[in-house]
Amino acid sequence: MLSSALPLRRTVVSVLLCGALVAGTTACGSDDKDTASSSSASPSSSAERQKLAKTRFVANAGIAAGATYQWIVKPWRAGKFKNGADGRKFALVKAGLAGALTYNRLKAAAKNAEGDPTLSKAVAPLTAGIDALKDLPSKLRKGDGVDSVAGSFDDIINSVKDAGKSAGAEVKDKVPSASQLTSGS
């Protein structure tokens, strides 16, 4: 009885992960619409726009930082990505999804930063680094060069946090929910 339940469980987990992987990668190709705090209210003054820009930046960058730490950096430091590690494949799939979400939210955060002059000056040098993350989630899912990929995500997140702090918009890690992870937003 136990031996027949194990393959069924693996099959169900595989199907769910494949579905999440497809949903996550297709969501990353969509336009950034500031989903972290989208509302129907539109700011009328430039001061309101700047405040909302910082708020949205902090929300988007916080989700990116939380996903990176929880599903990329923490397992990487624990050795979960090494060949032969228990749960390696599952950890790599989660890291790939987290990488896709991180890229998506960092692009949105960079776009949000444009609404605030101080923040835009601080984040502008980081846009090339954020763009460099585009192909890394697929490398994580495949397990290619995991150490350098995880290090790249960690470095960019720390740079974004430092830039936000220098502009008066401190970013704190905010671990996204499972639905945010699979949807990519």
PDB file of all heavy atoms in Angstrom, residues 46-54 109-120:
ATOM      1  N   SER A  46       2.047  66.405  -7.621  1.00  0.00           N
ATOM      2  CA  SER A  46       3.327  65.718  -7.796  1.00  0.00           C
ATOM      3  C   SER A  46       3.818  65.144  -6.471  1.00  0.00           C
ATOM      4  O   SER A  46       4.491  64.122  -6.448  1.00  0.00           O
ATOM      5  CB  SER A  46       4.371  66.663  -8.388  1.00  0.00           C
ATOM      6  OG  SER A  46       4.673  67.691  -7.481  1.00  0.00           O
ATOM      7  N   ALA A  47       3.471  65.776  -5.351  1.00  0.00           N
ATOM      8  CA  ALA A  47       3.865  65.256  -4.039  1.00  0.00           C
ATOM      9  C   ALA A  47       3.197  63.907  -3.787  1.00  0.00           C
ATOM     10  O   ALA A  47       3.817  62.978  -3.276  1.00  0.00           O
ATOM     11  CB  ALA A  47       3.497  66.238  -2.942  1.00  0.00           C
ATOM     12  N   GLU A  48       1.924  63.784  -4.154  1.00  0.00           N
ATOM     13  CA  GLU A  48       1.224  62.503  -3.995  1.00  0.00           C
ATOM     14  C   GLU A  48       1.827  61.447  -4.902  1.00  0.00           C
ATOM     15  O   GLU A  48       1.991  60.301  -4.506  1.00  0.00           O
ATOM     16  CB  GLU A  48      -0.261  62.671  -4.302  1.00  0.00           C
ATOM     17  CG  GLU A  48      -1.026  63.432  -3.249  1.00  0.00           C
ATOM     18  CD  GLU A  48      -2.484  63.604  -3.646  1.00  0.00           C
ATOM     19  OE1 GLU A  48      -3.089  62.646  -4.133  1.00  0.00           O
ATOM     20  OE2 GLU A  48      -2.993  64.722  -3.477  1.00  0.00           O
ATOM     21  N   ARG A  49       2.151  61.805  -6.127  1.00  0.00           N
ATOM     22  CA  ARG A  49       2.765  60.854  -7.054  1.00  0.00           C
ATOM     23  C   ARG A  49       4.093  60.346  -6.517  1.00  0.00           C
ATOM     24  O   ARG A  49       4.406  59.174  -6.608  1.00  0.00           O
ATOM     25  CB  ARG A  49       2.974  61.499  -8.423  1.00  0.00           C
ATOM     26  CG  ARG A  49       1.797  61.355  -9.347  1.00  0.00           C
ATOM     27  CD  ARG A  49       2.186  61.881 -10.691  1.00  0.00           C
ATOM     28  NE  ARG A  49       2.335  63.330 -10.563  1.00  0.00           N
ATOM     29  CZ  ARG A  49       1.633  64.225 -11.227  1.00  0.00           C
ATOM     30  NH1 ARG A  49       0.808  63.844 -12.136  1.00  0.00           N
ATOM     31  NH2 ARG A  49       1.789  65.504 -11.016  1.00  0.00           N
ATOM     32  N   GLN A  50       4.886  61.263  -5.954  1.00  0.00           N
ATOM     33  CA  GLN A  50       6.180  60.873  -5.407  1.00  0.00           C
ATOM     34  C   GLN A  50       6.009  59.942  -4.213  1.00  0.00           C
ATOM     35  O   GLN A  50       6.727  58.965  -4.082  1.00  0.00           O
ATOM     36  CB  GLN A  50       6.987  62.106  -5.007  1.00  0.00           C
ATOM     37  CG  GLN A  50       7.496  62.886  -6.195  1.00  0.00           C
ATOM     38  CD  GLN A  50       8.224  64.151  -5.782  1.00  0.00           C
ATOM     39  OE1 GLN A  50       8.381  64.432  -4.607  1.00  0.00           O
ATOM     40  NE2 GLN A  50       8.666  64.902  -6.772  1.00  0.00           N
ATOM     41  N   LYS A  51       5.040  60.238  -3.353  1.00  0.00           N
ATOM     42  CA  LYS A  51       4.811  59.391  -2.190  1.00  0.00           C
ATOM     43  C   LYS A  51       4.361  58.000  -2.635  1.00  0.00           C
ATOM     44  O   LYS A  51       4.839  56.994  -2.124  1.00  0.00           O
ATOM     45  CB  LYS A  51       3.772  60.010  -1.263  1.00  0.00           C
ATOM     46  CG  LYS A  51       3.567  59.209   0.000  1.00  0.00           C
ATOM     47  CD  LYS A  51       2.646  59.877   0.961  1.00  0.00           C
ATOM     48  CE  LYS A  51       2.509  59.028   2.207  1.00  0.00           C
ATOM     49  NZ  LYS A  51       1.614  59.596   3.167  1.00  0.00           N
ATOM     50  N   LEU A  52       3.451  57.948  -3.586  1.00  0.00           N
ATOM     51  CA  LEU A  52       3.002  56.655  -4.083  1.00  0.00           C
ATOM     52  C   LEU A  52       4.123  55.915  -4.802  1.00  0.00           C
ATOM     53  O   LEU A  52       4.206  54.692  -4.727  1.00  0.00           O
ATOM     54  CB  LEU A  52       1.789  56.823  -5.004  1.00  0.00           C
ATOM     55  CG  LEU A  52       0.489  57.210  -4.311  1.00  0.00           C
ATOM     56  CD1 LEU A  52      -0.618  57.416  -5.333  1.00  0.00           C
ATOM     57  CD2 LEU A  52       0.080  56.159  -3.300  1.00  0.00           C
ATOM     58  N   ALA A  53       4.992  56.640  -5.465  1.00  0.00           N
ATOM     59  CA  ALA A  53       6.119  55.997  -6.145  1.00  0.00           C
ATOM     60  C   ALA A  53       7.028  55.316  -5.130  1.00  0.00           C
ATOM     61  O   ALA A  53       7.446  54.170  -5.329  1.00  0.00           O
ATOM     62  CB  ALA A  53       6.906  57.022  -6.964  1.00  0.00           C
ATOM     63  N   LYS A  54       7.322  55.992  -4.034  1.00  0.00           N
ATOM     64  CA  LYS A  54       8.164  55.390  -2.997  1.00  0.00           C
ATOM     65  C   LYS A  54       7.458  54.196  -2.359  1.00  0.00           C
ATOM     66  O   LYS A  54       8.077  53.161  -2.115  1.00  0.00           O
ATOM     67  CB  LYS A  54       8.515  56.413  -1.916  1.00  0.00           C
ATOM     68  CG  LYS A  54       9.692  57.274  -2.254  1.00  0.00           C
ATOM     69  CD  LYS A  54      10.109  58.112  -1.070  1.00  0.00           C
ATOM     70  CE  LYS A  54      11.334  58.923  -1.425  1.00  0.00           C
ATOM     71  NZ  LYS A  54      11.820  59.726  -0.317  1.00  0.00           N
ATOM     72  N   ALA A 109       9.646  47.740  -9.579  1.00  0.00           N
ATOM     73  CA  ALA A 109      10.227  48.678  -8.611  1.00  0.00           C
ATOM     74  C   ALA A 109      11.054  49.743  -9.323  1.00  0.00           C
ATOM     75  O   ALA A 109      11.002  50.925  -8.959  1.00  0.00           O
ATOM     76  CB  ALA A 109      11.084  47.926  -7.593  1.00  0.00           C
ATOM     77  N   ALA A 110      11.820  49.345 -10.327  1.00  0.00           N
ATOM     78  CA  ALA A 110      12.615  50.316 -11.083  1.00  0.00           C
ATOM     79  C   ALA A 110      11.701  51.308 -11.800  1.00  0.00           C
ATOM     80  O   ALA A 110      11.999  52.509 -11.859  1.00  0.00           O
ATOM     81  CB  ALA A 110      13.507  49.593 -12.085  1.00  0.00           C
ATOM     82  N   LYS A 111      10.584  50.813 -12.309  1.00  0.00           N
ATOM     83  CA  LYS A 111       9.614  51.689 -12.962  1.00  0.00           C
ATOM     84  C   LYS A 111       8.982  52.645 -11.946  1.00  0.00           C
ATOM     85  O   LYS A 111       8.781  53.826 -12.234  1.00  0.00           O
ATOM     86  CB  LYS A 111       8.543  50.847 -13.650  1.00  0.00           C
ATOM     87  CG  LYS A 111       7.578  51.631 -14.480  1.00  0.00           C
ATOM     88  CD  LYS A 111       6.629  50.705 -15.211  1.00  0.00           C
ATOM     89  CE  LYS A 111       5.627  51.485 -16.020  1.00  0.00           C
ATOM     90  NZ  LYS A 111       4.666  50.615 -16.690  1.00  0.00           N
ATOM     91  N   ASN A 112       8.693  52.125 -10.747  1.00  0.00           N
ATOM     92  CA  ASN A 112       8.141  52.970  -9.689  1.00  0.00           C
ATOM     93  C   ASN A 112       9.117  54.056  -9.275  1.00  0.00           C
ATOM     94  O   ASN A 112       8.713  55.177  -8.954  1.00  0.00           O
ATOM     95  CB  ASN A 112       7.795  52.141  -8.447  1.00  0.00           C
ATOM     96  CG  ASN A 112       6.718  51.104  -8.686  1.00  0.00           C
ATOM     97  OD1 ASN A 112       6.824  50.007  -8.190  1.00  0.00           O
ATOM     98  ND2 ASN A 112       5.704  51.426  -9.464  1.00  0.00           N
ATOM     99  N   ALA A 113      10.391  53.731  -9.258  1.00  0.00           N
ATOM    100  CA  ALA A 113      11.417  54.685  -8.826  1.00  0.00           C
ATOM    101  C   ALA A 113      11.471  55.907  -9.724  1.00  0.00           C
ATOM    102  O   ALA A 113      11.888  56.986  -9.285  1.00  0.00           O
ATOM    103  CB  ALA A 113      12.785  54.000  -8.788  1.00  0.00           C
ATOM    104  N   GLU A 114      11.031  55.769 -10.959  1.00  0.00           N
ATOM    105  CA  GLU A 114      11.042  56.897 -11.887  1.00  0.00           C
ATOM    106  C   GLU A 114      10.132  58.038 -11.427  1.00  0.00           C
ATOM    107  O   GLU A 114      10.327  59.180 -11.830  1.00  0.00           O
ATOM    108  CB  GLU A 114      10.616  56.440 -13.283  1.00  0.00           C
ATOM    109  CG  GLU A 114      11.593  55.485 -13.929  1.00  0.00           C
ATOM    110  CD  GLU A 114      11.056  54.874 -15.215  1.00  0.00           C
ATOM    111  OE1 GLU A 114       9.951  55.251 -15.667  1.00  0.00           O
ATOM    112  OE2 GLU A 114      11.747  53.996 -15.755  1.00  0.00           O
ATOM    113  N   GLY A 115       9.159  57.744 -10.568  1.00  0.00           N
ATOM    114  CA  GLY A 115       8.222  58.762 -10.092  1.00  0.00           C
ATOM    115  C   GLY A 115       8.772  59.650  -9.003  1.00  0.00           C
ATOM    116  O   GLY A 115       8.140  60.629  -8.625  1.00  0.00           O
ATOM    117  N   ASP A 116       9.929  59.320  -8.464  1.00  0.00           N
ATOM    118  CA  ASP A 116      10.531  60.110  -7.397  1.00  0.00           C
ATOM    119  C   ASP A 116      11.943  60.482  -7.812  1.00  0.00           C
ATOM    120  O   ASP A 116      12.755  59.607  -8.097  1.00  0.00           O
ATOM    121  CB  ASP A 116      10.566  59.294  -6.100  1.00  0.00           C
ATOM    122  CG  ASP A 116      11.169  60.068  -4.949  1.00  0.00           C
ATOM    123  OD1 ASP A 116      10.513  61.019  -4.476  1.00  0.00           O
ATOM    124  OD2 ASP A 116      12.289  59.717  -4.536  1.00  0.00           O
ATOM    125  N   PRO A 117      12.268  61.784  -7.866  1.00  0.00           N
ATOM    126  CA  PRO A 117      13.585  62.199  -8.365  1.00  0.00           C
ATOM    127  C   PRO A 117      14.767  61.605  -7.586  1.00  0.00           C
ATOM    128  O   PRO A 117      15.732  61.128  -8.176  1.00  0.00           O
ATOM    129  CB  PRO A 117      13.569  63.718  -8.228  1.00  0.00           C
ATOM    130  CG  PRO A 117      12.161  64.101  -8.038  1.00  0.00           C
ATOM    131  CD  PRO A 117      11.428  62.918  -7.519  1.00  0.00           C
ATOM    132  N   THR A 118      14.692  61.620  -6.266  1.00  0.00           N
ATOM    133  CA  THR A 118      15.792  61.095  -5.460  1.00  0.00           C
ATOM    134  C   THR A 118      15.936  59.595  -5.654  1.00  0.00           C
ATOM    135  O   THR A 118      17.048  59.074  -5.817  1.00  0.00           O
ATOM    136  CB  THR A 118      15.539  61.390  -3.960  1.00  0.00           C
ATOM    137  OG1 THR A 118      15.248  62.776  -3.810  1.00  0.00           O
ATOM    138  CG2 THR A 118      16.728  61.021  -3.118  1.00  0.00           C
ATOM    139  N   LEU A 119      14.823  58.913  -5.644  1.00  0.00           N
ATOM    140  CA  LEU A 119      14.822  57.461  -5.800  1.00  0.00           C
ATOM    141  C   LEU A 119      15.284  57.058  -7.199  1.00  0.00           C
ATOM    142  O   LEU A 119      16.042  56.095  -7.359  1.00  0.00           O
ATOM    143  CB  LEU A 119      13.416  56.924  -5.518  1.00  0.00           C
ATOM    144  CG  LEU A 119      13.237  55.453  -5.249  1.00  0.00           C
ATOM    145  CD1 LEU A 119      14.166  54.975  -4.148  1.00  0.00           C
ATOM    146  CD2 LEU A 119      11.796  55.170  -4.863  1.00  0.00           C
ATOM    147  N   SER A 120      14.866  57.805  -8.203  1.00  0.00           N
ATOM    148  CA  SER A 120      15.263  57.465  -9.571  1.00  0.00           C
ATOM    149  C   SER A 120      16.771  57.604  -9.768  1.00  0.00           C
ATOM    150  O   SER A 120      17.389  56.796 -10.465  1.00  0.00           O
ATOM    151  CB  SER A 120      14.513  58.316 -10.592  1.00  0.00           C
ATOM    152  OG  SER A 120      14.893  59.662 -10.498  1.00  0.00           O
TER     153      SER A 120
END
